[in-house]
Amino acid sequence: MFKTDRRGVMRLEAWSRHAWLRHGFTTRKTGDFREWPSEPEIASAFDADGFGICALRQVHGLDVSVADHAWGTEGRAADAAVTDRPFVLVGVRTADCVPILLVDPVRRSVAAVHAGWRGAVAGIVQQAVSVLRVEYGSLAGDIECALGPCIGVCCFEVGEEVAAKFPESVVDRSRRKPHVDLRAHVQAQLRSAGVGLITAVGECTQCNPDRFASHRGQGGSAGRMLAVAGIRSDLVR
Ligand SMILES: [Zn+2]
């Protein structure tokens, strides 16, 4: 389902059929993306020569930035970005939160979404699907989705006040404190928004410290992983 290249970038194998698409989820092997990388670094990590980037200052909110050009490393405050323009790379950075890439091969639009528990509860996932429809006419049923590495239900222990914000179906109460399955929650949100094809990296960031950055696992020293998507050309079908 996902294949990791020699740089440590994970890609959804099914998306190799979209010759026009560039995408990937970095791992610790690729580097630490606490700072947004330069365009040459991006180009070598993602086989994305000529792409500009759209840095975000992620604030656990509901704003989706529409990228009609690549504005570079000066981050706009938003937790998702969408584009249908060639050579514009949208991306999010995570270390436990869920990185989500949405691709509409019909209208040829893409989105990158950062869903921590606050953003997920607020509805950032549905908001991104809605902005793809409003901006580009993308139908949810055409959208394909990849979820990158995030914290698993094994490690996402929360207080009762946080657990109460989630449906009981994604709260594990078999241990002393509640644990939330954030990945399952986001998948359910995507399904109820009508997104057909959803593929998720199953592994937990905190359980795999050699491969993934984890805020819970590594605290202040945790790096960030980068998830990106972009359209290489408007000519290639
Ligand atoms: Zn875990």
Side-chain angles (χ1 to χ4, degrees):
M1 294 210 288
F2 287 88
K3 206 170 179 177
T4 307
D5 73 8
R6 60 187 172 79
R7 296 284 311 270
V9 177
M10 304 175 80
R11 290 190 182 83
L12 185 58
E13 282 187 279
W15 282 353
S16 62
R17 73 181 190 280
H18 303 320
W20 49 273
L21 178 70
R22 288 292 177 273
H23 85 284
F25 297 93
T26 72
T27 61
R28 287 187 75 175
K29 186 179 180 186
T30 322
D32 176 3
F33 295 97
R34 252 176 289 196
E35 304 293 332
W36 284 84
S38 67
E39 282 166 6
E41 284 174 293
I42 291 259
S44 80
F46 297 103
D47 185 22
D49 278 327
F51 276 82
I53 61 170
C54 303
L56 299 181
R57 263 187 304 116
Q58 298 164 188
V59 293
H60 298 278
L62 258 184
D63 283 342
V64 178
S65 201
V66 177
D68 52 12
H69 68 286
W71 57 75
T73 54
E74 190 69 37
R76 290 186 185 173
D79 285 276
V82 298
T83 194
D84 69 343
R85 303 294 164 92
F87 298 109
V88 173
L89 209 60
V90 290
V92 293
R93 294 172 306 152
T94 60
D96 291 341
C97 295
V98 192
I100 305 164
L101 300 178
L102 302 171
V103 169
D104 172 7
V106 178
R107 300 281 171 168
R108 207 173 278 188
S109 62
V110 298
V113 185
H114 161 249
W117 75 260
R118 286 184 186 83
V121 165
I124 186 68
V125 173
Q126 298 92 319
Q127 188 68 11
V129 172
S130 159
V131 171
L132 285 174
R133 184 184 65 243
V134 171
E135 292 291 328
Y136 311 125
S138 292
L139 305 176
D142 291 330
I143 295 173
E144 302 173 358
C145 176
L147 272 59
C150 66
I151 195 159
V153 64
C154 41
C155 295
F156 194 31
E157 179 183 296
V158 298
E160 281 300 339
E161 71 290 353
V162 172
K165 297 180 192 296
F166 288 87
E168 277 300 306
S169 56
V170 298
V171 181
D172 172 13
R173 294 191 180 278
S174 65
R175 287 174 278 173
R176 195 175 55 84
K177 279 196 156 189
H179 286 62
V180 166
D181 193 336
L182 191 57
R183 180 191 293 123
H185 182 61
V186 166
Q187 284 176 300
Q189 287 181 312
L190 286 161
R191 276 194 301 272
S192 63
V195 174
L197 213 61
I198 305 166
T199 314
V201 172
E203 293 152 294
C204 166
T205 43
Q206 186 170 347
C207 287
N208 295 278
D210 50 330
R211 295 183 60 210
F212 304 131
S214 169
H215 186 68
R216 286 224 171 185
Q218 295 138 22
S221 68
R224 293 291 181 276
M225 301 181 292
L226 180 63
V228 298
I231 297 161
R232 193 172 68 84
S233 164
D234 51 5
L235 299 173
V236 186
R237 272 286 161 194

